[in-house]
Amino acid sequence: MSEEGYKQLLEELRHLESVERPRVVAAIAEARDKGDLSENAEYDAAKEAQGLLEMKISQLKATIGDAKIIDTSKLKADTVQILSKVELKNVKTGMKMAYTLVAESEANLKLGKISVNTPIAQGLLGKKVGDVAEITIPQGKISLEILNISF
């Protein structure tokens, strides 16, 4: 993953542990103060929220623990690989697009970042400038010509 993506995960973990966790604990304490726990829907909801939060924190810690930061200065732009920014042209329509191939946790289509696990990214990996990738997507097959590769 990129260093930027790694820092975002660390920031999200810090936020969950220092802001969200105390908020959920306070909600549980408030619900507990309202009396009989066996018939207290607020308490049940707060405990469920706590469980989901702890699960998310645990998953985030696992992702951070397994993360490997890739130094893009050591990568070559001759073939498409993770963290490559790829400029493409749809051969059929002529429409141009650009995507950066990132780890699953960094994917954000609005920012043009797609996971390396997507069909499009899988079809592009290992290709060079000028190559045409035939990619099967849910709507059928598309042909994408690689115009440029950069980092």
Side-chain angles (χ1 to χ4, degrees):
M1 90 175 16
S2 70
E3 190 169 346
E4 173 191 342
Y6 185 76
K7 287 178 181 175
Q8 286 176 343
L9 289 179
L10 288 175
E11 179 58 31
E12 183 180 356
L13 178 62
R14 186 202 62 74
H15 174 76
L16 292 176
E17 289 181 330
S18 64
V19 176
E20 295 300 319
R21 186 182 272 161
R23 186 185 58 75
V24 169
V25 169
I28 291 171
E30 183 180 323
R32 190 181 306 125
D33 290 343
K34 292 187 177 171
D36 185 10
L37 297 181
S38 64
E39 295 180 12
N40 190 333
E42 269 185 65
Y43 179 78
D44 292 340
K47 287 298 279 182
E48 185 175 336
Q50 181 185 37
L52 293 172
L53 177 67
E54 293 302 326
M55 184 176 69
K56 187 170 184 175
I57 288 172
S58 176
Q59 288 173 338
L60 213 48
K61 284 183 176 181
T63 301
I64 289 168
D66 292 341
K68 291 173 183 56
I69 298 173
I70 298 172
D71 182 1
T72 56
S73 66
K74 294 182 179 173
L75 298 176
K76 295 181 180 173
D78 55 347
T79 61
V80 178
Q81 54 194 308
I82 189 165
L83 299 183
S84 294
K85 180 176 182 179
V86 186
E87 293 177 36
L88 307 163
K89 181 175 83 174
N90 184 319
V91 174
K92 185 177 180 182
T93 65
M95 186 175 109
K96 293 184 179 182
M97 60 202 91
Y99 294 118
T100 302
L101 280 57
V102 296
E104 186 86 38
S105 60
E106 294 182 72
N108 184 335
L109 194 55
K110 289 180 183 175
L111 298 177
K113 296 180 177 185
I114 61 171
S115 166
V116 291
N117 299 329
T118 62
I120 291 176
Q122 288 292 306
L124 295 173
L125 289 172
K127 300 282 193 271
K128 299 177 188 242
V129 173
D131 287 354
V132 175
E134 294 287 330
I135 302 169
T136 302
I137 59 171
Q139 294 81 15
K141 280 192 181 255
I142 58 170
S143 299
L144 299 174
E145 180 183 354
I146 299 171
L147 303 175
N148 189 32
I149 303 169
S150 61
F151 288 102

